[in-house]
Amino acid sequence: NSGVYIGPDAVKHWLAQLFAWLLILTVVKVILCFFLWMVSSPLASVAAVLFKPLQNNIKLELFFCHDRPAGCSECGLLLDHGSLFEG
């Protein structure tokens, strides 16, 4: 009875589902971290080659930034600094 949290066993039922979900989430995160660790070196090499032409353009560097400052939209354009390709 997933999602039924009434009666005397409501909290016990909810806790069992919560711990099952936490276990599944943890296993998925561990698998993902292991996979990313395994491919981090080749992925870094590919990224270095792909982004090398963009290194000298500060506006494109801001477009591809990972830690977006306040004022950035979801696509990475800086809203406070005008167009990406202005001179």
Side-chain angles (χ1 to χ4, degrees), residues 6-82:
I6 57 174
D9 293 335
V11 173
K12 187 175 92 171
H13 185 71
W14 178 79
L15 284 173
Q17 288 184 350
L18 175 67
F19 287 123
W21 176 75
L22 287 174
L23 177 67
I24 292 168
L25 185 66
T26 303
V27 168
V28 168
K29 294 289 184 177
V30 167
I31 291 170
L32 184 60
C33 285
F34 180 72
F35 174 75
L36 289 175
W37 177 70
M38 292 297 291
V39 299
S40 64
S41 182
L43 190 59
S45 300
V46 170
V49 170
L50 290 176
F51 289 108
K52 181 74 173 169
L54 307 177
Q55 240 177 352
N56 295 328
N57 189 334
I58 187 69
K59 292 183 180 185
L60 283 175
E61 185 177 341
L62 289 173
F63 180 77
F64 288 107
C65 69
H66 176 71
D67 298 316
R68 301 194 201 307
C72 285
S73 68
E74 283 298 315
C75 66
L77 295 174
L78 288 177
L79 300 176
D80 299 337
H81 295 83

